[in-house]
């Protein structure tokens, strides 16, 4: 078979298998479709199905097919990250800045410290730390991976729990939005390349100047044109960030962060996010699964994943409960907020992909982080649904 036929077979597998598992297995309560897609990507990858049926893997997922899938995956996740940047709403966070800063700071800082402590235990082993990583980059990268909240999945979960439009839901979105900015800022620091520092400084000045021009242009053109111009802006920002030695995902986030959500019809923006998740992101999940590696040994990877999950969960619970005590929250609020902010899939996986691309972590570390992200996300709804029901009653 030629490459186009194999590509179509791969696409058929990507869109069919997770959907059937999700629909027939009725997993929505603990694992929405996006989580099933991530898990399916792991199963279809070289570590599991590829090891059991190597001829299947080498035939269907040969290098030309993987290259084609990677191209689709890059553009899908760039769109997804840009939309996440657009949806950041800092105006309300500024109005409630004391409570927002305390909660977001502790919700990010505590799991960051717990995650860094876990990463220190893994230092010195080439199995976990990437070939181009300095110790501080590896430790901080793992720590931040334990701190991440996936804003888009958080929105889906709060819609399911009927929390999204309530005051508590809006507060949680503010905390997650502030943490999103901090996560991408820390990532930029981790990726700082002193051999390219001139390019990175040039990127900052160029980005600031182009942002001024871009914003003035977007305010003057009709909404129908804004959608097209935003895609051009996405490509430019992503390219220049990658050229500067940062990752193109940093550029994609910045591209969205400097846009105002009110420039776009909210219903159309929600529809675009839904369609990106439906049509394109499954390719990213599969390409993520293809990068998993169990070479260190399955037991070691699962043990490290468990250690990171423990650090992430305990850190988030400790940080948010401390914020609740400082701010005098109602009984039960801290637990609900902590578990919802624990949602990690997508954004953490994107974050871990970048660390892997830059060789700050190894494939084995990436696999452990991926398992941790999936487990923490699957825990969210079962842990919080009864708490939300009691809180709203």
């Amino acid at each position: 078979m030629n490459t186009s036929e194999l590509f179509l077979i791969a696409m058929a597998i990507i869109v069919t298998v997770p959907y059937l598992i999700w629909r027939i297995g009725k997993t929505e309560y603990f694992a929405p479709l996006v989580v099933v897609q991530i898990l399916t990507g792991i199963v279809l990858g070289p570590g599991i199905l590829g090891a059991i049926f190597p001829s299947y893997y080498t035939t269907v997922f040969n290098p030309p097919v993987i290259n084609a899938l990677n191209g689709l995956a890059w553009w899908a996740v760039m769109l997804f990250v840009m939309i996440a940047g657009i949806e950041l709403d800092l105006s309300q966070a500024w109005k409630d800045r004391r409570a927002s800063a305390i909660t977001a700071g502790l919700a990010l800082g505590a799991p960051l410290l717990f995650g860094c402590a876990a990463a220190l235990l893994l230092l010195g082993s080439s199995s976990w730390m990437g070939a181009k990583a300095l110790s501080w980059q590896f430790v901080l990268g793992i720590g931040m991976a334990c701190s991440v909240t996936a804003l888009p999945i958080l929105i889906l979960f709060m819609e399911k729990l009927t929390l999204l439009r309530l005051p508590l839901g809006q507060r949680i979105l503010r905390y997650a939005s502030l943490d999103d900015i901090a996560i991408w800022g820390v990532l930029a620091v981790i990726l700082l390349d002193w051999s390219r520092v001139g390019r990175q400084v040039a990127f900052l000045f160029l980005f600031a100047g182009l942002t001024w021009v871009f914003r003035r242009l977007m305010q003057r053109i009709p909404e129908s044109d804004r959608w097209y111009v935003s895609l051009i802006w996405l490509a430019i920002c992503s390219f220049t960030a990658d050229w500067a030695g940062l990752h193109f995902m940093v550029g994609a986030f910045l591209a969205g962060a400097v846009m105002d959500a009110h420039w776009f019809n909210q219903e159309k923006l929600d529809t675009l996010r839904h369609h990106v998740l439906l049509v394109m992101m499954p390719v990213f999940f599969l390409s993520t699964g293809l990068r998993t590696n169990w070479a260190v040994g399955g037991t070691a990877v699962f043990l490290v994943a468990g250690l990171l999950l423990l650090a992430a969960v305990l850190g988030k619970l400790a940080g948010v409960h401390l914020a609740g005590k400082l701010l005098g929250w109602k009984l039960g609020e801290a637990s609900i907020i902590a578990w919802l902010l624990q949602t990690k899939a997508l954004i953490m996986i994107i974050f871990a992909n970048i660390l892997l691309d830059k060789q700050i972590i190894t494939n084995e570390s990436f696999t452990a982080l991926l398992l941790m992200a999936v487990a923490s996300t699957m825990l969210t709804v079962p842990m919080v649904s009864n708490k939300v029901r009691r809180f709203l009653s």
Side-chain angles (χ1 to χ4, degrees):
M1 286 186 284
N2 59 38
T3 299
S4 60
E5 291 171 344
L6 291 172
F7 173 80
L8 292 172
I9 290 173
M11 287 299 301
I13 293 170
I14 291 167
V15 298
T16 302
V17 175
Y19 172 75
L20 291 177
I21 294 171
W22 172 71
R23 178 54 67 197
I24 296 171
K26 298 180 180 179
T27 67
E28 185 65 27
Y29 177 71
F30 59 91
L33 181 56
V34 291
V35 173
V36 176
Q37 288 167 335
I38 295 166
L39 287 170
T40 306
I42 296 173
V43 172
L44 293 174
I48 300 180
L49 204 57
I52 299 172
F53 302 107
S55 59
Y56 132 82
Y57 182 78
T58 54
T59 299
V60 176
F61 296 107
N62 60 44
V65 172
I66 290 176
N67 288 338
L69 292 172
N70 282 341
L72 283 176
W74 292 342
W75 184 244
V77 78
M78 285 163 62
L79 284 169
F80 192 82
V81 169
M82 182 190 75
I83 294 168
I86 293 173
E87 291 179 330
L88 290 177
D89 182 9
L90 300 180
S91 58
Q92 190 59 43
W94 177 251
K95 292 177 184 177
D96 192 27
R97 52 188 174 275
R98 178 177 176 271
S100 295
I102 290 173
T103 307
L106 289 171
L108 182 75
L112 171 63
L113 291 176
F114 280 54
C116 287
L120 287 171
L121 300 176
L122 306 177
L123 272 180
S125 172
S126 59
S127 299
W128 309 109
M129 190 166 78
K132 293 186 178 180
L134 299 174
S135 295
W136 72 268
Q137 290 175 309
F138 173 76
V139 171
L140 186 56
I142 295 293
M144 285 305 296
C146 292
S147 307
V148 168
T149 296
L151 186 60
I153 303 303
L154 175 63
I155 291 171
L156 293 177
F157 281 166
M158 288 202 295
E159 283 179 337
K160 181 194 298 290
L161 296 165
T162 67
L163 267 180
L164 184 59
R165 302 305 172 191
L166 299 180
L168 177 60
Q170 293 301 301
R171 282 170 50 201
I172 295 171
L173 284 183
R174 291 199 293 274
Y175 307 148
S177 297
L178 289 175
D179 283 348
D180 249 20
I181 294 173
I183 287 161
W184 291 101
V186 170
L187 178 63
V189 172
I190 293 172
L191 299 181
L192 191 64
D193 184 350
W194 289 105
S195 66
R196 292 190 179 186
V197 70
R199 284 190 179 190
Q200 291 168 348
V201 171
F203 166 75
L204 293 176
F205 280 103
L206 181 63
F207 177 74
L210 288 177
T211 296
W212 183 82
V213 175
F214 170 74
R215 286 183 58 83
R216 287 179 66 86
L217 173 64
M218 291 288 276
Q219 290 164 3
R220 293 173 183 234
I221 60 178
E223 185 189 353
S224 58
D225 287 334
R226 288 173 184 166
W227 296 100
Y228 295 100
V229 173
S230 65
L231 296 180
I232 298 170
W233 175 243
L234 169 62
I236 291 172
C237 290
S238 300
F239 168 76
T240 51
D242 210 63
W243 167 84
L246 301 172
H247 198 276
F248 59 84
M249 285 305 146
V250 175
F253 176 77
L254 291 174
V258 299
M259 291 191 233
D260 294 342
H262 66 79
W263 289 347
F264 307 94
N265 178 283
Q266 185 61 53
E267 186 177 341
K268 290 181 180 178
L269 195 62
D270 291 342
T271 301
L272 176 60
R273 181 184 357 98
H274 171 76
H275 287 162
V276 171
L277 273 171
L278 174 68
V279 177
M280 300 183 71
M281 286 300 284
V283 181
F284 171 72
F285 299 140
L286 187 279
S287 66
T288 295
L290 297 182
R291 308 180 81 171
T292 55
N293 193 329
W294 315 88
V296 172
T299 303
V301 170
F302 278 102
L303 287 175
V304 171
L307 172 66
L308 297 177
L309 179 64
L310 192 65
V313 171
L314 291 181
K316 193 73 75 176
L317 289 171
V320 176
H321 275 83
L322 178 56
K325 287 187 178 181
L326 293 174
L327 297 171
W329 290 347
K330 296 178 183 178
L331 184 67
E333 279 189 353
S335 185
I336 292 171
I337 293 171
W339 279 107
L340 285 171
L341 290 179
Q342 186 60 45
T343 304
K344 293 194 181 307
L346 285 187
I347 298 300
M348 200 234 73
I349 294 170
I350 294 168
F351 186 88
N353 266 281
I354 296 170
L355 297 181
L356 181 61
D357 284 344
K358 296 296 183 178
Q359 297 185 53
I360 292 170
I361 61 174
T362 62
N363 286 87
E364 290 80 14
S365 295
F366 175 79
T367 303
L369 286 171
L370 186 61
L371 293 173
M372 182 269 281
V374 170
S376 66
T377 304
M378 291 177 67
L379 282 172
T380 300
V381 172
M383 292 299 297
V384 84
S385 56
N386 287 334
K387 300 177 190 295
V388 170
R389 199 175 297 115
R390 288 195 297 269
F391 183 81
L392 296 179
S393 61

